Amino acid sequence: MGQKPPKNYLVESILVTIFCCLPFGIAGIVFASQVNSKFALGDYEGAIASSKRAKKWMNWSIIAAVISVILSIVFVFALGGLAILGLSNQ
Amino acid sequence: MKLKHLGMLLGGILLAFLYFYINPSSVNFLPKCPLYVTTGIYCPGCGSQRATHELLHLNILGVFRQNALYVLGILILIYHLIIRILNSFFHKNSYNYIYHPKTPWILLIIILIFWILRNLPFYPFNLLAPH
């Protein structure tokens, strides 16, 4: 076993599951397990392919996290704005 | 790569300040869990923002009360970082269990069981729900 296993993104997937996007985190964990099992069987190319898939899910979850933060800020400002308009109309 | 790490560090410090000074229980502008808002079901991550606030105030029991899985996540992160630092800076060759073929499945099963249990509305499982 001279080669090192490709990055499996397991820790990142756990953090994504806890902090942000459960489905993306679980997909990441499944691909992390593929990285580990394929590498253990000597399928280095397959392990790299699973590593790339896991990375793709991590990138999507970062995008989803940014979108949800933006949406929640917009939602609060929109509600706040409506409340101010409602008060000024009375 | 260097710029990316610097950005992550700055972002982390900014978030730490935010969650130290803001108590997520008493404000309504932080993002909410879409699963809980739409269905009333807690996901395995519910309570993590409040848990971060408790952790930054060094209230470990408070972290447990909000989200017990959060503690496991932090421990895994610390373990992974320690092994990586040992291997790259001190040229050790410690085995990292993150790369064991069974580890991801065990963690997935823990997450799924935690998800089910924290939604059971009776003692002692209701202790796992965020308070």
Side-chain angles (χ1 to χ4, degrees):
Chain A
M1 293 279 262
Q3 278 170 315
K4 290 181 79 172
K7 191 168 164 57
N8 66 4
Y9 296 95
L10 179 59
V11 176
E12 287 86 345
S13 302
I14 301 287
L15 294 179
V16 162
T17 306
I18 301 173
F19 287 108
C20 154
C21 325
L22 172 73
F24 297 0
I26 288 182
I29 295 172
V30 171
F31 286 119
S33 86
Q34 287 189 5
V35 173
N36 292 6
S37 56
K38 285 178 179 173
F39 184 77
L41 292 172
D43 179 10
Y44 194 68
E45 300 297 317
I48 288 179
S50 296
S51 172
K52 282 183 180 153
R53 290 210 173 111
K55 185 180 185 181
K56 198 174 75 182
W57 282 108
M58 294 306 102
N59 287 337
W60 277 116
S61 65
I62 291 170
I63 293 167
V66 169
I67 289 174
S68 69
V69 168
I70 291 171
L71 277 183
S72 74
I73 291 171
V74 166
F75 188 64
V76 167
F77 273 91
L79 277 186
L82 284 177
I84 291 167
L85 283 177
L87 286 176
S88 61
N89 283 343
Q90 284 176 349
Chain B
M1 274 312 262
K2 279 277 158 63
L3 197 68
K4 185 179 149 193
H5 289 138
L6 192 69
M8 279 167 69
L9 185 69
L10 285 177
I13 292 171
L14 190 74
L15 283 176
F17 267 101
L18 182 76
Y19 282 107
F20 182 82
Y21 286 110
I22 296 172
N23 184 352
S25 316
S26 53
V27 297
N28 61 4
F29 57 83
L30 291 169
K32 301 218 175 9
C33 174
L35 184 73
Y36 180 69
V37 168
T38 50
T39 63
I41 297 170
Y42 299 118
C43 80
C46 281
S48 285
Q49 294 185 86
R50 282 162 281 173
T52 308
H53 179 74
E54 299 291 348
L55 183 68
L56 292 168
H57 287 262
L58 300 178
N59 180 3
I60 303 299
L61 191 69
V63 181
F64 261 107
R65 279 167 56 86
Q66 298 301 345
N67 188 340
L69 197 66
Y70 188 104
V71 181
L72 182 69
I74 295 291
L75 289 178
I76 291 171
L77 180 65
I78 292 171
Y79 167 79
H80 181 62
L81 290 178
I82 287 175
I83 298 276
R84 275 192 63 177
I85 288 167
L86 279 178
N87 286 352
S88 57
F89 288 102
F90 299 100
H91 304 290
K92 293 261 168 42
N93 203 7
S94 315
Y95 182 70
N96 190 342
Y97 275 93
I98 298 295
Y99 284 90
H100 192 281
K102 286 206 175 79
T103 312
W105 290 116
I106 294 170
L107 288 172
L108 189 60
I109 290 167
I110 291 174
I111 289 169
L112 294 178
I113 290 174
F114 177 71
W115 188 3
I116 295 167
L117 292 185
R118 75 185 323 205
N119 281 292
L120 300 180
F122 47 85
Y123 186 87
F125 303 115
N126 54 8
L127 293 178
L128 292 173
H131 305 291

